[in-house]
Amino acid sequence: MAPIYRTLHVVLRLLPSSPGPSRSRSLSTQAAPAVRMEYQDAIRTLNTLQTNANYLDQVKRQRYDPAEQLQMMRQFLERSGLQVEDLDKLNIIHVTGTKGKGSTCAFVEQILRNYGLKTGFYSSPHLVQVRERIRINGQPISKELFSKYFWQVYNRFEETNDEENPSMPPYFRFLTIMAFHIFLEQKVDLAVLEVGIGGAYDCTNIIRNPLVCGVSSLDIDHTSILGDTIEKIAWQKGGIFKSGVPAFTVSQPAGPLEVLRKRAEEIECPLYMCPDLAEYEDDGISLQLGLAGDHQKLNAALALQLAQTWLQHQGYPGVGEQKSPSRHLPPMKWPFPLASAFRPSIPMVQGLQDTIWLGRTQIFKRGPISYYIDGAHTSSSIKACVRWFREVALKEEKAGGGSVVRVLLFNATGERDTAALLKHLQPCHFDYAMFCPNISEVSGVGMADQQNFNVTLENVLTRCLENQKTWNQLNEERSCSAPWGSSLPVDALIKDSPRGSPLLLAPSSERFLNCNSLVFPCISHALQWATQGRDMEFPCLDINLLHHHPVASSGSVLLREAARIQVLVTGSLHLVGGALKLLDQSLSQ
C-alpha cells in the first residue's frame, strides 16, 4: 500500500488544508473593514462553519436525538433576530424527495415568476458558487448582496455569543437562516424551499405554515441519516407534512406510498397523487420541458400541482381549467386521492419550457467534443441518466459519422453503493473510464466556494482507486477488459510530473488492471486528457505532461484521431459543479 499513500500525500501537500475541529473566527476579526466585506473573505469564513471530517465521524458514532436539532435551529434563528412566526410571511412552497426535488423547485419557481411574482428560491448543494443556493427571481444573489447579508447575520451571532450560546450554527443551518433574512428583507412574494436531507429533522422544517408541500421520487440515499430502507426514508420525507396544508407526491413503490399515507393521516395533512403529465396535455399537443429526460415529466407534473395550489390559495382566478380523466390514467388504485388534472395556463406552459437547472441532463458541444453532464447519484437517477445519454449520444453518432470515442468521468461520495451505480453505466460501452475526486484543479486556485472539509483528501482519493477497481472487475465480468492493449503492472502507472504533482494513480492492491480506466488527482487533468486540447475554449497544458504510461499514451492517439469525443460526467453533483467551473467560466464570475 505504500505507493498509494506516497502519492496521496504528494497531492495533499498541493491542496488547501482544512480547518481543525475548532471553528476559528479570526477571518472576520482580523480583516480590515474594506477587505472584510469581499465575497471570497465571506466564503472563507463560511467554510470555517463546515464540520471537520474527524469530528463528523465522531458525531456519527454517538447517539443523538434528531428532534433536538430542530430545537437548536429555532434557537439559532432567534439569535439571528428572527422568530419562527416571521417565516409565515414568505408564502412557502416546501419540497422534499430523493430525486428530482431540485428540478421540481426550478419548474415551480419559473412558472410563478412568469406570473410576475417576485420569487425566492433556496436550494442545495451549489455547483460552482455558494450564492447559487439563494436566488431572487431565478438569479443567484450578487456577490455584494451575499457579502452584505453574510456579515449581517454572522455579526449577529457574534454579538449573541455567550456561555449559554457559545457556538456558531453549522454551515447549512447558517445558510438557511441567511436565506430567510434575505427573502424577508427583499420582500419576495413567495419562497420555494428545497429540503437539504430527509425532511422531518431537516433545518428547513422549522417553518410552521407552508402553503403547499411536495414529495418527489424516493430512492435509497443518505442511509446513515435517513435509514436503510425506502420505507424508512419515506417516513423522514413525510415529516414536512403540516396539518391542513395540501401535499402532493408522484408515483412511488407501494411500500413508501403507504408510509406517506400514514404520515399524512397522523399529521392530518391532505395528501394527493399527481396525475401523469400526459393528463395535462391536449390531444396531440405535448408540453415541452426545458429539462431533458423522461424522468423530468414526473417533476413537471408535481410542479404544476404545486404552482396551481399556491396560486389558488393566493386568490388567482382561473389559473387552470380542470380536465376530465382520460385514457392515460394508469389502471391502479392509489392509497390516497388522485389530484385533478387541469389545462395549464400560458405562464405554466411557458414556465415548463423555459426552466433551466444546471448540471442536470446538460450538454456542451465544443467542436469535436460533446460533454454530457448530469448530477445523478442514486441507482434510479443513474438509470435515468443512462437512458438519456444513450439516446442523445446515439443520435449525435448517427448524425455525424466517423469514429466516436466515449469517455466516462465518474465519482461518488458518501455511503453510496458505487458498484451498483457503475454497473448501471456499463451498457453505455465507454471506451475509457476516468475517476477523480471532486476537486477542480490540483493548484486549489479559486476553490473557496467548492472546498469541502467534511471528508479527508486521503479518503476521497482512496475511494477513486476503489471505484476504478470495481469498474475493472465489472469489465472483466462482461469479458471486455483491456480493449486497447494488454494489462500492465501497477507500478508502471504511478508517475510524477516534472512539477511534482501525480498525474495518474492506480491501485497497488492488485497486480494488474484493465487498460481502459485511469485515475486522476483532479477534474481538470482528467478533462484535459480526455479532450487532448481539441476543445478550443478549455485551456489545456502540454498534453505530454498529462500521461506517463503506455495506456494513456495509446488512448491519446485514439482521442486525437476520433471524429467525435463524447464525455459523460456523472455520479456526483459536486463533480458536476467542478466540471462546470472549468467548462463555463461565466459561472465563476
Side-chain angles (χ1 to χ4, degrees):
M1 296 296 290
I4 291 183
Y5 287 103
R6 282 201 304 271
T7 306
L8 298 186
H9 286 301
V10 172
V11 181
L12 182 60
R13 289 198 302 271
L14 293 168
L15 290 168
S17 60
S18 65
S22 63
R23 296 191 174 102
S24 169
R25 295 187 296 274
S26 60
L27 281 173
S28 72
T29 57
Q30 295 179 3
V35 178
R36 187 170 183 256
M37 301 304 291
E38 293 296 326
Y39 175 73
Q40 286 301 316
D41 192 47
I43 297 302
R44 293 187 187 98
T45 306
L46 174 66
N47 284 344
T48 68
L49 304 182
Q50 290 190 37
T51 306
N52 176 272
N54 295 328
Y55 178 74
L56 191 63
D57 287 339
Q58 177 185 342
V59 170
K60 286 181 178 179
R61 289 192 295 268
Q62 298 172 344
R63 293 189 176 187
Y64 69 98
D65 181 0
E68 290 182 3
Q69 304 304 308
L70 282 181
Q71 180 58 35
M72 291 176 62
M73 181 64 180
R74 293 187 190 97
Q75 293 171 0
F76 281 126
L77 185 72
E78 291 173 4
R79 283 178 57 193
S80 78
L82 292 178
Q83 300 295 319
V84 174
E85 293 79 5
D86 295 327
L87 307 183
D88 295 345
K89 304 171 188 175
L90 293 177
N91 301 317
I92 290 169
I93 297 173
H94 203 195
V95 182
T96 188
T98 310
K99 306 172 299 176
K101 65 181 186 293
S103 298
T104 298
C105 289
F107 279 128
V108 172
E109 188 278 331
Q110 180 68 65
I111 287 171
L112 295 177
R113 183 155 37 101
N114 280 5
Y115 275 88
L117 295 163
K118 185 174 184 179
T119 62
F121 180 10
Y122 180 60
S123 65
S124 60
H126 62 278
L127 295 179
V128 179
Q129 298 192 61
V130 177
R131 59 194 183 91
E132 297 167 23
R133 296 179 182 231
I134 305 173
R135 296 171 182 258
I136 301 292
N137 286 334
Q139 295 300 311
I141 60 173
S142 67
K143 292 182 178 181
E144 292 76 15
L145 205 61
F146 185 97
S147 298
K148 171 188 172 182
Y149 285 107
F150 175 84
W151 293 116
Q152 184 182 103
V153 175
Y154 189 91
N155 290 337
R156 181 61 179 158
F157 284 121
E158 290 261 274
E159 293 164 3
T160 57
N161 192 338
D162 54 33
E163 291 184 1
E164 293 184 3
N165 302 293
S167 64
M168 282 279 178
Y171 187 94
F172 187 73
R173 289 183 195 168
F174 185 99
L175 285 173
T176 304
I177 292 169
M178 181 175 158
F180 290 147
H181 276 271
I182 292 172
F183 294 156
L184 286 167
E185 293 200 29
Q186 293 294 309
K187 293 180 170 54
V188 299
D189 295 314
L190 69 128
V192 180
L193 293 188
E194 178 190 359
V195 167
I197 295 178
Y201 306 117
D202 185 75
C203 65
T204 63
N205 205 32
I206 62 168
I207 62 172
R208 306 180 314 160
N209 297 308
L211 299 193
V212 63
C213 298
V215 181
S216 65
S217 298
L218 300 179
D219 200 357
I220 301 292
D221 201 14
H222 300 294
T223 53
S224 66
I225 299 173
L226 305 181
D228 56 3
T229 68
I230 196 168
E231 286 78 15
K232 291 178 182 178
I233 290 170
W235 188 93
Q236 294 278 354
K237 304 294 183 181
I240 72 166
F241 295 159
K242 303 291 186 292
S243 178
V245 176
F248 297 85
T249 190
V250 296
S251 178
Q252 316 272 9
L257 274 184
E258 179 60 19
V259 173
L260 290 178
R261 184 195 67 78
K262 288 181 179 178
R263 285 287 265 167
E265 188 176 85
E266 293 166 1
I267 298 171
E268 298 183 344
C269 161
L271 176 62
Y272 302 92
M273 174 64 65
C274 289
D276 186 82
L277 187 64
E279 290 300 307
Y280 301 86
E281 300 173 342
D282 289 321
D283 290 340
I285 304 176
S286 299
L287 290 170
Q288 300 301 308
L289 305 183
L291 305 181
D294 286 342
H295 57 288
Q296 292 294 352
K297 293 179 181 179
L298 283 176
N299 303 326
L302 177 56
L304 285 172
Q305 287 292 343
L306 296 176
Q308 169 89 339
T309 303
W310 190 95
L311 289 164
Q312 288 178 337
H313 184 279
Q314 296 300 91
Y316 281 74
V319 292
E321 179 187 343
Q322 187 169 326
K323 295 180 63 178
S324 300
S326 73
R327 63 181 180 278
H328 297 296
L329 283 174
M332 65 179 297
K333 184 177 181 180
W334 302 110
F336 39 83
L338 184 70
S340 298
F342 54 87
R343 185 167 286 104
S345 65
I346 292 176
M348 290 177 177
V349 172
Q350 196 64 44
L352 294 178
Q353 185 173 326
D354 292 345
T355 298
I356 297 173
W357 195 228
L358 298 183
R360 286 78 170 176
T361 57
Q362 187 175 0
I363 302 174
F364 283 98
K365 292 194 176 183
R366 307 266 185 81
I369 315 294
S370 294
Y371 302 97
Y372 299 89
I373 298 177
D374 189 72
H377 52 273
T378 69
S379 183
S380 296
S381 59
I382 285 286
K383 288 179 183 178
C385 171
V386 166
R387 289 193 296 270
W388 164 72
F389 173 73
R390 293 182 72 181
E391 179 182 350
V392 293
L394 183 60
K395 284 182 181 178
E396 180 189 57
E397 193 172 337
K398 288 181 177 179
S403 63
V404 176
V405 175
R406 285 187 179 179
V407 183
L408 170 67
L409 177 57
F410 179 89
N411 191 35
T413 59
E415 302 170 344
R416 297 180 173 93
D417 184 354
T418 305
L421 303 185
L422 290 173
K423 188 171 185 178
H424 294 319
L425 288 161
Q426 288 276 304
C428 295
H429 301 294
F430 293 103
D431 300 299
Y432 284 93
M434 307 183 298
F435 303 92
C436 71
N438 300 331
I439 299 169
S440 295
E441 300 177 83
V442 167
S443 66
V445 175
M447 285 177 55
D449 283 271
Q450 296 184 322
Q451 284 181 321
N452 181 4
F453 300 138
N454 295 332
V455 293
T456 64
L457 185 61
E458 291 95 335
N459 286 344
V460 296
L461 285 171
T462 300
R463 181 76 175 267
C464 292
L465 301 175
E466 293 170 350
N467 291 343
Q468 183 194 35
K469 181 177 180 180
T470 299
W471 180 262
N472 294 337
Q473 290 171 341
L474 290 169
N475 272 349
E476 289 171 3
E477 292 171 6
R478 293 174 62 92
S479 301
C480 61
S481 61
W484 305 122
S486 60
S487 295
L488 296 174
V490 165
D491 291 344
L493 301 184
I494 301 179
K495 297 289 183 180
D496 288 347
S497 75
R499 295 183 297 172
S501 61
L503 296 173
L504 292 173
L505 311 177
S508 59
S509 56
E510 57 179 20
R511 175 64 180 165
F512 297 98
L513 76 161
N514 299 325
C515 298
N516 66 336
S517 63
L518 304 169
V519 179
F520 290 87
C522 68
I523 300 167
S524 178
H525 285 180
L527 291 180
Q528 287 181 59
W529 180 82
T531 57
Q532 294 291 308
R534 299 179 68 185
D535 178 354
M536 296 297 102
E537 298 181 47
F538 179 47
C540 189
L541 299 173
D542 183 348
I543 298 299
N544 294 322
L545 294 178
L546 292 176
H547 52 82
H548 290 275
H549 60 75
V551 171
S553 180
S554 62
S556 297
V557 174
L558 288 167
L559 289 164
R560 286 195 293 266
E561 293 179 351
R564 293 213 63 80
I565 301 171
Q566 297 175 335
V567 182
L568 174 63
V569 183
T570 194
S572 164
L573 277 170
H574 300 286
L575 176 73
V576 161
L580 288 174
K581 177 181 183 292
L582 297 168
L583 297 174
D584 187 349
Q585 296 296 314
S586 67
L587 296 177
S588 299
Q589 298 170 6

